[in-house]
Amino acid sequence: NKTITYIQDHIGYYVDNTRFEIYANSFSNDHLARAAQISQRLLEKLPHTSMGDFGINFHFNENDPLTALLDKLTCNDQLESRFSILAQEFTARILYKEKCQLNFKRIAGGRNVIFDFNYHHSVQSQKDFAVVTGDYLRSLLDASRADIKDLYEVEDCEEVQHEFVRQNDTMEIQNDL
């Protein structure tokens, strides 16, 4: 039950006492660049605020998956011979690059498969946030799509984008970000 505040029609944010989250409901180059710009502006406006690690997340949903995909997302422990399995989750923690771990979760259950990519970045100084650009966000999104295609032979998987519920159009913070 998060309240997402709009900055623009396609960009929103959420803040609590432990985090600042930026949401996009479109993965166009312009919207990814705007999301990155907002994160950089936050750093400029709050230079003395302690910052921790950060994540960049993408979610994909494959409805009515083929049997071949479901076969790839099963465990060899024969659990289904003993229980009625509703869903299975598999998570891999992958060294993606220096200061970035990819937490790649696959959830198979019911009539869909979810691919969840969390690019977790370690932060040692404010300079570590400089990696967040529109081009970088696009590269992670494209890499996620390519991994789904290469590993699971799934193309055109549905990208799960945030759906905004409009509450109001005027926010004072809009001009600052």
Side-chain angles (χ1 to χ4, degrees), residues 8 57 82 100 114 128 175:
Q8 295 177 339
N57 303 297
R82 188 169 179 168
C100 182
I114 297 169
D128 292 331
N175 294 329

Side-chain angles (χ1 to χ4, degrees), residues 23 56 128 139:
Y23 293 87
I56 298 169
D128 292 331
S139 73

Side-chain angles (χ1 to χ4, degrees), residues 70-165:
L70 294 174
D71 286 346
K72 288 182 178 184
L73 297 172
T74 58
C75 208
N76 292 329
D77 61 5
Q78 304 298 317
L79 203 58
E80 67 279 354
S81 67
R82 188 169 179 168
F83 301 102
S84 177
I85 306 297
L86 301 175
Q88 290 196 67
E89 293 186 24
F90 303 91
T91 302
R93 289 173 182 80
I94 302 164
L95 178 59
Y96 185 73
K97 59 195 267 183
E98 185 182 356
K99 296 185 181 183
C100 182
Q101 174 180 296
L102 170 57
N103 299 310
F104 181 32
K105 184 187 298 184
R106 291 91 63 217
I107 304 169
R111 296 179 159 255
N112 71 337
V113 171
I114 297 169
F115 299 102
D116 182 10
F117 292 81
N118 167 258
Y119 295 91
H120 181 85
H121 294 76
S122 298
V123 174
Q124 294 164 344
S125 76
Q126 288 258 2
K127 293 177 185 177
D128 292 331
F129 286 98
V131 70
V132 182
T133 65
D135 289 340
Y136 183 65
L137 296 177
R138 168 62 55 197
S139 73
L140 295 179
L141 177 61
D142 291 345
S144 300
R145 287 180 185 143
D147 287 339
I148 292 169
K149 181 180 177 184
D150 295 346
L151 294 168
Y152 301 103
E153 300 171 6
V154 174
E155 294 188 58
D156 300 323
C157 200
E158 174 192 10
E159 298 168 349
V160 178
Q161 300 171 2
H162 186 262
E163 293 183 26
F164 292 118
V165 176

Side-chain angles (χ1 to χ4, degrees), residues 10 22 48 54 111 128 158 173:
H10 300 285
I22 299 172
H48 302 294
F54 68 94
R111 296 179 159 255
D128 292 331
E158 174 192 10
I173 199 165

